[in-house]
Amino acid sequence: MFKAIVSASTLRDALDSVSVLVDECKIRLNEDGLAIRAVDPANVGMVDLSLDAAAFESYEADGGVIGVNLSKLEDFVGMADSSQLVELELDEETRKLNIRIEGLSSTLALIDPDSIRQEPDIPDLDLAAEIVLEGAQLDRGIKAADMVSDHVRLRVDDAEEAFHIQAQGDTDDVDFQLDAGDLIDLTAGEADSLFSLDYLKDMNKAIPKDAEVTVELGQEFPVKLHYRVAEGQGNVTYMLAPRIQSD
Amino acid sequence: MFKAIVSASTLRDALDSVSVLVDECKIRLNEDGLAIRAVDPANVGMVDLSLDAAAFESYEADGGVIGVNLSKLEDFVGMADSSQLVELELDEETRKLNIRIEGLSSTLALIDPDSIRQEPDIPDLDLAAEIVLEGAQLDRGIKAADMVSDHVRLRVDDAEEAFHIQAQGDTDDVDFQLDAGDLIDLTAGEADSLFSLDYLKDMNKAIPKDAEVTVELGQEFPVKLHYRVAEGQGNVTYMLAPRIQSD
Amino acid sequence: MFKAIVSASTLRDALDSVSVLVDECKIRLNEDGLAIRAVDPANVGMVDLSLDAAAFESYEADGGVIGVNLSKLEDFVGMADSSQLVELELDEETRKLNIRIEGLSSTLALIDPDSIRQEPDIPDLDLAAEIVLEGAQLDRGIKAADMVSDHVRLRVDDAEEAFHIQAQGDTDDVDFQLDAGDLIDLTAGEADSLFSLDYLKDMNKAIPKDAEVTVELGQEFPVKLHYRVAEGQGNVTYMLAPRIQSD
């Protein structure tokens, strides 16, 4: 059983955070809210989304799992204006999702959850540095790195208490330095890892420019990025595996 | 003889309604206004445009027919701002159309009208249902249908007094229901026909979102859509042949 | 030695005027300002840009020459908002250009100036007519010409004191006439030359719509276009070779 009403913009932001990584996903319809965990086909980027029941106008579910084609679901939800409400209801018998938006009734065929890549375990990592910054700052650093390379180095300089987004191309390089004063918060620690820009650019697409993003960073370790959605009633966590630094 | 002055936006809206269906057309320069009738190469969609002399700042004509390349004529008219006036004058001798827009004089070579597909007869049909709705509503229904299929079913439900824009894809389907209260006017009657979305999307492109569109619908019959242009001084009628319903 | 601080928008407008013609150029770092002269590979279009020291917030140079990849330099400068300042500093040792924009430090590898096409001499020409007009007027004439042909005729009509931007296609033609009253200034004289639209379109892209553009025109002679940049503290001159008129 699943029946919920939610604002189109809340649902859209939540789905976007997942669709930048995968085309299909399982959605867990827990009693206390929606949850999606997914990993990209290359096992490099993961996402963990939770949307609490409180993020919905109304929410009823009893723990089922459905499989969805995300771009189709986003198309359907995209028929609503941001301020409109979207009504979702699972038809257990036909295994279809009914979507209603003011006069428009759509039916989306679901996918067998067993045919979808397994949900990843997102490990608890003890990462030395934690940086809290605005989505817009992260965006700026990623755009700069993208001009010269296809990978990016995230680094915390313990001595000067700064976060660096760096990239080194064949001939050119960039270093975007955010001092403690530029950041919302910084827990300095030895942390320096290299990542694929392609993945980080995809994740960055979904991160609102005004979001408060927490970056957990280690020494040649995966990075974790998380931010709140749905006015605090939901959470997105990305995890990205590092690339080997070849110096 | 043909000589006329018209606002760029009026001329543009009128030409757009035809150019979504055909590249070339005959324009009848009647004494009381312009008239264009055209049918697409596959004989599925027709358009009938009339623009009364009153839609022009000044208008003089004596009944000739010219053939034009619509995209070229639209390019030329597109050099004007919406609020500017366009002066048209036929040069009988050279068979060219002179177009003047504040300092800019252009000359457009005409096409031999005999080389252009014959103008269709648009039949009088006695269609059971008549729906009057806003262009924006029609647009919404067509966009929704386009997500799941390449054809669309237009239907009036006699019992519940509602107009449905429906589409059924291989796995998903949509039903956009407009009740009497959502419509400007509804004459209910038995009416249910299937149409190619490609054509309807083309026609929809030309229909202003704030236009009052009258839809005449029958039982597996062509649909007629008409709306006023040029602040009521002109009329566009589309007719679209149905597809066979295969249930 | 070279070290300068300049507003991003000033630098961007200046570089744009050159990058529409060439991909790489030499920049002369003179004591009294920057200077770039370049000619396109076909030797048809030339540009001469000067940006006085006064156009900068601060400027120090001692006469060196550097070679740059313009699109890379523009990418780097493009990381700044229009109102932000860009700090440029030449590292003589590594032959790299350091670019700093609020927290973002980039290093751009320079190109050996000897590997870049030689700077053209821009000849002093004694051209009969001089037309001063708004960039927006020039833009309108070029757009109109582009509808019917790939070359454009610039002409001053001595008798009616008017400037014409004309084009003649295979079947259609346009004539954009600017009378003395439409122009900022006009020194009439016998002047009529034909030019490639491709080049003029490229130059037009860089010319601000609100710039006061001076056009020096002769009889089957090159045309010169110049306008001020950097609030009058810089100058751009384009010279374009004529095409032979074949009547």
Side-chain angles (χ1 to χ4, degrees), chain C:
Chain C
M1 199 273 283
F2 170 60
K3 201 173 167 171
I5 299 176
V6 61
S7 88
S9 61
T10 294
L11 186 56
R12 203 143 46 200
D13 288 351
L15 295 175
D16 277 352
S17 71
V18 182
S19 66
V20 292
L21 276 190
V22 295
D23 297 329
E24 301 178 344
C25 71
K26 296 183 205 185
I27 304 182
R28 300 206 164 263
L29 307 167
N30 301 324
E31 278 177 51
D32 57 352
L34 282 187
I36 301 177
R37 265 187 297 133
V39 58
D40 86 286
N43 259 302
V44 174
M46 296 178 189
V47 60
D48 184 353
L49 162 76
S50 64
L51 206 54
D52 300 347
F56 294 77
E57 299 297 309
S58 84
Y59 184 91
E60 284 177 86
D62 58 5
V65 177
I66 57 174
V68 300
N69 177 311
L70 276 167
S71 72
K72 277 197 188 179
L73 179 54
E74 288 191 306
D75 276 355
F76 280 45
V77 175
M79 287 300 301
D81 294 332
S82 292
S83 59
Q84 280 185 314
L85 291 178
V86 179
E87 233 182 294
L88 303 166
E89 184 168 8
L90 176 63
D91 185 329
E92 307 262 11
E93 212 159 307
T94 58
R95 296 307 293 169
K96 299 205 171 191
L97 187 65
N98 295 322
I99 303 163
R100 269 185 299 276
I101 304 160
E102 218 190 278
L104 177 65
S105 310
S106 312
T107 309
L108 177 71
L110 297 173
I111 303 174
D112 177 3
D114 293 339
S115 73
I116 296 177
R117 200 171 317 116
Q118 224 185 313
E119 291 157 289
D121 282 319
I122 298 195
D124 256 335
L125 300 172
D126 193 18
L127 298 165
E130 190 177 282
I131 306 104
V132 185
L133 78 173
E134 265 187 28
Q137 295 276 44
L138 188 64
D139 178 63
R140 186 167 157 77
I142 290 172
K143 281 213 171 72
D146 194 36
M147 292 191 304
V148 301
S149 181
D150 53 7
H151 46 266
V152 62
R153 186 176 166 195
L154 303 182
R155 189 170 71 79
V156 168
D157 192 312
D158 221 348
E160 56 175 343
E161 297 253 317
F163 175 50
H164 291 264
I165 302 177
Q166 292 178 297
Q168 195 163 355
D170 290 333
T171 56
D172 311 324
D173 47 66
V174 304
D175 178 1
F176 184 44
Q177 172 175 337
L178 291 158
D179 296 321
D182 303 319
L183 299 167
I184 297 168
D185 199 13
L186 174 68
T187 309
E190 201 183 0
D192 186 344
S193 302
L194 194 72
F195 302 97
S196 156
L197 255 177
D198 275 350
Y199 284 91
L200 213 51
K201 275 157 62 183
D202 283 341
M203 294 169 176
N204 181 47
K205 262 183 235 161
I207 300 177
K209 297 294 159 280
D210 62 353
E212 194 172 309
V213 184
T214 303
V215 180
E216 295 178 52
L217 194 68
Q219 195 70 11
E220 307 218 7
F221 245 73
V223 65
K224 277 192 177 183
L225 297 121
H226 39 94
Y227 62 97
R228 310 292 299 169
V229 288
E231 289 169 13
Q233 308 290 352
N235 184 72
V236 176
T237 300
Y238 288 118
M239 192 172 95
L240 179 59
R243 289 178 49 146
I244 306 305
Q245 302 211 25
S246 53
D247 285 321

Side-chain angles (χ1 to χ4, degrees), chain B residues 17 119 174 207 231:
Chain B
S17 72
E119 292 157 289
V174 304
I207 300 176
E231 289 169 12

Side-chain angles (χ1 to χ4, degrees), chain A residues 140 143-144 147-148 171-177, chain C residues 72 75-76 79 96 101 103 105-109:
Chain A
R140 187 168 157 78
K143 280 214 171 69
M147 291 191 304
V148 301
T171 56
D172 311 323
D173 47 67
V174 304
D175 179 1
F176 184 44
Q177 173 176 335
Chain C
K72 277 197 188 179
D75 276 355
F76 280 45
M79 287 300 301
K96 299 205 171 191
I101 304 160
S105 310
S106 312
T107 309
L108 177 71

Side-chain angles (χ1 to χ4, degrees), chain B residues 222-247:
Chain B
V223 65
K224 277 192 177 184
L225 296 121
H226 39 95
Y227 61 98
R228 308 293 297 169
V229 289
E231 289 169 12
Q233 309 290 352
N235 184 73
V236 176
T237 299
Y238 288 119
M239 192 173 95
L240 179 59
R243 287 178 49 146
I244 305 307
Q245 302 210 30
S246 53
D247 285 321

Side-chain angles (χ1 to χ4, degrees), chain A residues 19-22 40 42 44-46 141-143 145-147 149-153 167 194-207 225 238-241 243:
Chain A
S19 66
V20 292
L21 278 190
V22 296
D40 85 287
V44 173
M46 296 178 190
I142 289 171
K143 280 214 171 69
D146 194 36
M147 291 191 304
S149 182
D150 54 6
H151 46 267
V152 62
R153 187 176 165 195
L194 193 73
F195 302 96
S196 158
L197 255 175
D198 274 350
Y199 284 91
L200 213 51
K201 277 157 61 182
D202 283 341
M203 293 169 176
N204 181 47
K205 260 182 237 161
I207 301 176
L225 296 121
Y238 287 119
M239 193 172 93
L240 180 60
R243 288 179 48 146

